[in-house]
Amino acid sequence: NPRIQSIYLESFPIYKACFSVDGEQVIATGTHHKMFFVYDMMSGSIIPIQRVRGIEERFLKDFEVSPDGSFMLLTGTSGYLHLLSMKTKELISTMKVNGRCTASAFTPDSSKIYSYSKEGEVFIWDVRSRKCLHRFEDEGSLEGKCMALSKNNQYVACGSASGVVNLYTTDACLKETRPKPVKAIMNLVTSATCVTFNPTTEILAVASRETDEAVKLV
């Protein structure tokens, strides 16, 4: 494929880059920076977001963009989650999980946020009120690593440091504090670092970055 364009962010090793939902912006965070960049594809300009007022973090690395395009969720340290307006990149609210947050995901309708703690607990937040609606324990998880929600809002997948990926139904996650997984996927022998559903919710990809060729399609 022909390359359309490339941009260079000087002395800024990129940790994560992601398109905005309308496809007009690219957001990029660094490995050791509290600032992040927004690349406007329409104007071709690179906008540095030096500091978000109200956020006191040494580094900002991991983030999620809501499916409706209105929010950006930054994962801070010590369990803090910062909800920003995608339009203005200003802080709306901060939420906090017990322990350290390792992964977050918006529901397909952008009304809720699931956040997974290092201790293996999942917290479910209401985006409008920013209140914790429910929390549940990921079965057998000693250290939470990654999570994904299916596009049809039917399943929740939680991957842990042991390499086990638990698959739950969303209904069970919202009602029970210790839901039973529909399926426990044991194919990875090293830590599960990435889980993602395909758009039709028929395939789940699980992967580990700790060893070569550790990608499984379920």
Coordinates of all heavy atoms in Angstrom, one line a residue, residues 72 77 81 119 126 170 189:
M72 N -12.6 10.5 26.1 CA -11.3 9.9 26.1 C -11.0 9.5 27.6 O -11.1 10.3 28.5 CB -10.2 10.8 25.6 CG -8.8 10.3 25.6 SD -7.7 11.6 24.9 CE -6.1 10.9 25.2
T77 N -1.9 6.5 37.4 CA -1.3 5.6 38.4 C -2.2 5.5 39.6 O -3.1 6.2 39.8 CB 0.1 6.1 38.8 OG1 0.0 7.5 39.1 CG2 1.1 5.9 37.6
L81 N -8.6 7.0 37.1 CA -9.0 7.0 35.7 C -9.6 8.4 35.5 O -10.4 8.9 36.2 CB -10.2 6.0 35.5 CG -9.8 4.5 35.7 CD1 -11.0 3.7 35.9 CD2 -9.1 4.0 34.4
E119 N -5.3 -6.4 40.8 CA -5.7 -7.4 41.8 C -6.8 -8.4 41.3 O -7.2 -9.2 42.0 CB -6.2 -6.7 43.1 CG -5.1 -6.0 43.9 CD -4.5 -4.8 43.2 OE1 -5.2 -4.1 42.4 OE2 -3.4 -4.5 43.5
D126 N -20.7 4.1 35.6 CA -21.7 4.8 34.8 C -21.0 6.0 34.2 O -20.5 6.8 35.0 CB -22.9 5.1 35.6 CG -24.0 5.9 34.7 OD1 -24.4 5.3 33.7 OD2 -24.3 7.0 35.1
T170 N -22.1 -10.6 29.6 CA -22.3 -9.3 30.2 C -23.3 -9.3 31.3 O -23.2 -8.6 32.4 CB -22.7 -8.2 29.2 OG1 -21.8 -8.4 28.0 CG2 -22.5 -6.8 29.6
V189 N 0.7 -19.7 27.4 CA 1.5 -20.2 28.5 C 2.2 -19.0 29.2 O 2.7 -19.1 30.3 CB 2.6 -21.2 28.1 CG1 1.9 -22.5 27.7 CG2 3.4 -20.7 26.9

